[in-house]
């Protein structure tokens, strides 16, 4: 089973979830599929389109279906390119726990 956390900002959360699910057969990777694709959200925000939706679809499809990535977990991809790991402090468990707690608080405030 594959799980993809699609985000432009949360490599740490993806890595933390990958660690939590280690050994379960579920893989988790973070993906920033493309920048300012031609989507309804981009158009509604008034931001100029930078990349076609097809670029984001290709990156997402590759991460889901490429047999070479079937067991890859805890990684961050910008499009189809794996990015280097973040600064070691960003991977520290106390920092990641704090980030997860703050995210939970914000989601509760937003009633999500």
């Amino acid at each position: 089973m594959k799980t993809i956390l699609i985000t432009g900002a949360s490599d740490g959360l993806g890595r933390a979830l990958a660690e939590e699910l280690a050994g379960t057969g579920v893989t988790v990777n973070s993906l920033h599929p493309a920048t300012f694709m031609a989507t309804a959200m981009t158009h509604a925000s008034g931001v100029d389109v930078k990349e076609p939706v097809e670029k984001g679809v290709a990156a997402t499809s590759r991460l889901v279906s490429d047999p070479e990535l079937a067991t890859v977990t805890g990684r961050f991809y910008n499009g189809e390119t794996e990015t280097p790991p973040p600064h070691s402090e960003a991977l520290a468990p106390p920092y990641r726990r704090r980030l997860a707690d703050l995210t939970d608080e914000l989601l509760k405030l937003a009633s999500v």
Side-chain angles (χ1 to χ4, degrees):
M1 174 185 248
K2 273 284 193 197
T3 300
I4 302 173
L5 179 61
I6 300 177
T7 175
S10 191
D11 185 15
L13 288 176
R15 288 176 192 269
L17 186 56
E19 287 175 9
E20 279 185 47
L21 297 173
T24 66
V26 176
T27 61
V28 180
N29 292 292
S30 300
L31 172 66
H32 174 70
T35 302
F36 299 124
M37 294 178 284
T39 63
M41 185 171 73
T42 299
H43 292 302
S45 70
V47 174
D48 291 337
V49 170
K50 302 285 184 210
E51 297 177 313
V53 170
E54 294 79 11
K55 181 176 181 181
V57 170
T60 304
S61 178
R62 176 179 170 265
L63 198 52
V64 171
S65 61
D66 186 335
E68 291 184 16
L69 299 176
T71 59
V72 172
T73 191
R75 307 285 175 81
F76 184 87
Y77 292 85
N78 184 5
E80 294 189 27
T81 304
E82 182 178 348
T83 63
H87 189 281
S88 61
E89 288 181 16
L91 296 175
Y95 172 81
R96 292 195 330 215
R97 180 74 258 151
R98 176 91 171 111
L99 180 60
D101 290 345
L102 287 172
T103 300
D104 288 343
E105 287 178 35
L106 290 171
L107 290 172
K108 287 176 188 169
L109 288 173
S111 301
V112 175

